[in-house]
Amino acid sequence: MSISAINVRNQFRGTIKEVIEGPVVSEVDVITPSGLIVTSVITTRSVKELGLVVGKEVVALVKSTEVSIATL
């Protein structure tokens, strides 16, 4: 899958630093090349479907109060 266009302006490419899985929701910490850590709270189901694990390269998409994760 590749993303050719998206309307979210605030995008941070990075690597997953930590995943804290809960029964329903999980926290995913993404560290950017500049050292900024962006945290996303998403469903645990999405974590599994996207194959989010420590070390995986992702893009954190920030819009308003939401942080979404897209795989590369």
Side-chain angles (χ1 to χ4, degrees):
M1 179 180 117
S2 64
I3 299 172
S4 59
I6 192 163
N7 70 341
V8 178
R9 300 282 180 237
N10 299 310
Q11 300 180 24
F12 301 94
R13 189 178 193 119
T15 304
I16 295 179
K17 178 181 178 188
E18 183 177 18
V19 178
I20 302 171
E21 283 192 24
V24 178
V25 295
S26 298
E27 293 180 39
V28 180
D29 289 342
V30 177
I31 188 162
T32 66
S34 65
L36 173 72
I37 295 177
V38 179
T39 301
S40 176
V41 177
I42 61 176
T43 65
T44 300
R45 181 178 184 172
S46 291
V47 168
K48 293 177 183 193
E49 287 177 356
L50 292 170
L52 301 180
V53 294
V54 172
K56 184 173 182 100
E57 284 190 57
V58 295
V59 177
L61 308 166
V62 181
K63 186 163 186 170
S64 189
T65 59
E66 178 182 320
V67 177
S68 302
I69 301 289
T71 59
L72 301 175

